Amino acid sequence: MNHSKTLVHRTNQRTWHAFSFGICHVWQLGIGGWSRMAFSEHDIYRIFIDHRPRILGFLQQRLRCPDTAADLIQDIYLRLRLLKPPPNSEGEVRAWLYAVAANLSIDYLRAEKRHHDLLDHYLGGATEVDVSASPERSAQARDDWRQIESALAELPDLCADILYLSRIEGLSHAEIAARLGISLSWVEKQLARALLQCRQALDT
């Protein structure tokens, strides 16, 4: 029996090892032809470091806030280990980095809008202190602003989302449950928690 012919019929995929300058380069033969195997973790971090300045600039242009952009860059770095399946090229890593940066910036801007809309709702649109008001009223307005802003900032993301959908978008509890894919009882519980926290902030 022809030995090489037997090997061909044993498997549809073969891995070859080529040695060059003492370094092993692993290649894999698949249906689409020859392709280098997935990048190592070291390669992924190297690509991130190489592209970090450009990604940072991308975030700064979107957010108009250097500090927030720096925070999101750190978040991307911490997510590198979550990159699955392992990429096969630098282009795939780069595309993933920019996709994550874009998604994080969208989430941040959406959260900021939600935050300001809720502030407007609870402060009756008085998001700026009236300079013509008496010193006592101005002081009270500033205090109300700080209290409600602190209360909203302390809400978990899901809780704040439920409050926003209820008070700003006017959705019913059932509609919120369907939108977020959670139970009706959980919507009611989290909304009660959010309302209580905001009420307590305004009463203090």
Side-chain angles (χ1 to χ4, degrees), residues 18-200:
F19 291 85
S20 176
F21 302 105
I23 300 175
C24 177
H25 297 282
V26 182
W27 298 81
Q28 191 171 45
L29 178 61
I31 296 175
W34 295 98
S35 62
R36 194 167 65 155
M37 293 187 71
F39 272 27
S40 68
E41 184 175 299
H42 173 77
D43 291 327
I44 293 171
Y45 280 94
R46 174 185 57 78
I47 294 169
F48 168 77
I49 292 171
D50 289 345
H51 290 275
R52 185 184 184 281
R54 286 184 287 276
I55 297 172
L56 182 60
F58 170 77
L59 288 169
Q60 288 175 343
Q61 185 176 18
R62 279 189 160 220
L63 303 174
R64 307 295 181 186
C65 179
D67 290 340
T68 301
D71 289 342
L72 294 188
I73 273 286
Q74 183 65 19
D75 198 353
I76 294 172
Y77 174 80
L78 296 174
R79 292 174 185 233
L80 288 176
R81 60 186 180 84
L82 303 177
L83 181 49
K84 303 292 182 182
N88 292 310
S89 69
E90 180 170 341
E92 288 184 17
V93 178
R94 187 168 59 250
W96 182 87
L97 290 171
Y98 278 96
V100 172
N103 289 336
L104 287 175
S105 65
I106 290 171
D107 289 344
Y108 173 82
L109 292 172
R110 184 179 294 134
E112 281 292 288
K113 181 181 184 305
R114 179 192 66 199
H115 183 78
H116 286 294
D117 287 348
L118 287 171
L119 279 175
D120 285 344
H121 175 79
Y122 281 100
L123 296 176
T127 53
E128 295 183 4
V129 176
D130 185 358
V131 294
S132 64
S134 66
E136 294 78 10
R137 289 190 61 185
S138 295
Q140 182 62 49
R142 283 192 295 269
D143 186 60
D144 288 345
W145 171 275
R146 285 192 295 267
Q147 293 292 343
I148 195 66
E149 186 173 36
S150 176
L152 292 172
E154 290 173 2
L155 291 175
D157 287 342
L158 179 60
C159 194
D161 284 340
I162 291 172
L163 181 63
Y164 177 83
L165 292 173
S166 172
R167 291 299 183 263
I168 306 303
E169 294 197 8
L171 299 186
S172 68
H173 294 181
E175 288 171 331
I176 295 172
R179 171 83 68 90
L180 299 179
I182 56 180
S183 69
L184 180 60
S185 61
W186 189 245
V187 169
E188 293 170 346
K189 180 178 180 180
Q190 293 302 306
L191 183 57
R193 173 186 177 182
L195 292 174
L196 176 62
Q197 193 157 321
C198 291
R199 191 177 302 115
Q200 289 175 337

